[in-house]
Amino acid sequence: MRLPDMPLHDPFVVADKRTRTYFLYTSNDPSVSGVDGTGTMVYRSHDLRDWTPPVVVFLAAEQPGIWATDGGWAPEVHERDGRYYLFTTLHDQHSPLPVPPPGPWGTPFPTATHMRGTITAVADSPLGPFTVVDPSRPTPPENLMTLDGTLYVDPSGQPWMVYAHEWLQTIDGTMEAIRLAPDLSETVGTPVFLFKGSDASWISEQIPSGVPHQLPPYVTDGPQLYPTPDGSLLMLWSTYEKNAAKQDGTVGGGYVQTYAVSPSGDLTGPWQQHRPLVRDDSGHGMLFHTFDDRLMMILHRPFENARGKLYEMQLVGHELRVLRQRTDLDGGG
């Protein structure tokens, strides 16, 4: 299989040096895996060009007592102390959360929020099978509507889950973090605010004159943390650019891949927002190194019926640059 033929939303690559294999995780798609159910599947490759058919490594319905069996979004796998940890987002529309109070714009959504959050599962192999650590609840606080949890281990060795707090609950979506126990089995303490979606001032800069600039919502999606050689901390994240006025007076725009930098290297910031790396309805990317030490970014495009797109990247200090799209690998588009 090759990337143009592979359904691929929220892609995440693990480059395993021991076997010189790239593991590419995404939400289970029964049309290609042949397995029904919400979960995670993985493609494998030795060259980023030719991939094996996917193997299902996690199914929510097979987890006894699991709190939710819908979603399966944004899976990612991290090796820690010889074991492999899967983060993926589930949700349960039948478990409502309190309707948030009106913000400065009122409440711009007609329905109540419901339970959504990232679970943690563990396995002895990158091919699973993964078993959920706590089937009773998501890893972040269950009263928060969250998604896209990712792992970050700070210089002191403290593991964190960094996640997006849904705009559905906050109106102005946020990035937050919560400490994890050393074995990632539970959270420690309370969430820490990192930044909000509207901090990216470029989101609204193309809004035509006469249209209010402070319009909800501000979406935060897909965090991934990457320490840079100069000691800074970089975070890839995605949002929607508000660059077109609609007939009803609202403003809409496309999904974009952007990033932020904490120059001090501290997870708590302060975070400086940078301009988008890739537009064209693209996003939820992550960085990884090839076996010949090239810095690569993979993301999905378009948002619907998504395929994986690969970009060769360059770091200059803590400025991240796109060198070229690897159309030889991803088929272009």
Side-chain angles (χ1 to χ4, degrees):
M1 304 182 74
R2 292 188 176 173
L3 286 171
D5 308 312
M6 296 158 51
L8 198 58
H9 211 269
D10 304 343
F12 190 88
V13 171
V14 173
D16 182 50
K17 292 182 179 179
R18 182 177 59 85
T19 60
R20 294 187 69 83
T21 301
Y22 299 103
F23 294 84
L24 175 50
Y25 296 89
T26 190
S27 302
N28 180 44
D29 186 330
S31 70
V32 287
S33 71
V35 178
D36 289 329
T38 296
T40 301
M41 64 184 190
V42 63
Y43 302 96
R44 285 166 288 168
S45 176
H46 295 293
D47 59 9
L48 297 175
R49 179 177 173 86
D50 296 297
W51 299 84
T52 64
V55 173
V56 174
V57 297
F58 171 79
L59 284 174
E62 291 184 350
Q63 309 295 310
I66 190 74
W67 62 274
T69 55
D70 290 325
W73 303 337
E76 56 183 66
V77 170
H78 301 270
E79 183 179 6
R80 184 170 172 83
D81 297 329
R83 306 199 78 191
Y84 294 85
Y85 291 84
L86 167 72
F87 290 0
T88 188
T89 299
L90 302 179
H91 63 90
D92 179 6
Q93 295 185 17
H94 303 292
S95 296
L97 296 173
V99 177
W105 304 284
T107 304
F109 35 85
T111 58
T113 57
H114 55 268
M115 280 188 68
R116 176 178 291 164
T118 300
I119 58 99
T120 303
V122 64
D124 293 322
S125 163
L127 293 175
F130 287 89
T131 302
V132 68
V133 172
D134 183 354
S136 68
R137 56 178 294 270
T139 302
E142 57 195 289
N143 64 309
L144 305 182
M145 192 179 191
T146 65
L147 76 167
D148 297 352
T150 189
L151 179 66
Y152 172 65
V153 180
D154 70 23
S156 73
Q158 171 64 56
W160 299 75
M161 179 179 281
V162 178
Y163 57 84
H165 193 166
E166 280 276 46
W167 66 270
L168 288 163
Q169 197 173 46
T170 64
I171 302 177
D172 193 351
T174 62
M175 288 297 181
E176 299 173 8
I178 193 165
R179 291 176 177 85
L180 299 174
D183 64 357
L184 312 188
S185 63
E186 60 183 353
T187 57
V188 178
T190 57
V192 176
F193 169 84
L194 305 182
F195 63 82
K196 59 187 185 298
S198 64
D199 288 344
S201 59
W202 51 262
I203 287 177
S204 301
E205 69 184 8
Q206 298 183 53
I207 293 178
S209 61
V211 178
H213 284 214
Q214 297 300 316
L215 291 173
Y218 291 90
V219 173
T220 47
D221 274 355
Q224 188 221 3
L225 284 296
Y226 186 87
T228 65
D230 73 352
S232 302
L233 182 61
L234 182 152
M235 184 196 297
L236 290 185
W237 67 287
S238 292
T239 188
Y240 285 88
E241 192 170 35
K242 302 181 179 185
N243 58 4
K246 298 180 180 180
Q247 290 184 350
D248 62 4
T250 62
V251 174
Y255 201 53
V256 298
Q257 179 64 64
T258 189
Y259 75 109
V261 173
S262 171
S264 68
D266 194 322
L267 178 61
T268 61
W271 289 89
Q272 299 174 354
Q273 301 299 325
H274 286 244
R275 302 188 68 81
L277 295 162
V278 184
R279 290 182 164 92
D280 301 323
D281 204 20
S282 307
H284 205 110
M286 59 86 63
L287 296 169
F288 68 97
H289 283 272
T290 63
F291 298 127
D292 59 358
D293 206 32
R294 296 176 186 266
L295 182 62
M296 300 286 284
M297 180 173 68
I298 188 169
L299 50 72
H300 67 241
R301 182 169 66 242
F303 193 86
E304 300 294 336
N305 194 28
R307 293 295 185 267
K309 304 298 176 184
L310 283 165
Y311 292 82
E312 203 166 315
M313 308 296 290
Q314 181 185 44
L315 265 174
V316 180
H318 56 244
E319 181 183 350
L320 189 61
R321 299 175 181 175
V322 175
L323 291 180
R324 59 174 175 144
Q325 184 180 348
R326 291 297 301 268
T327 57
D328 57 317
L329 300 175
D330 66 21

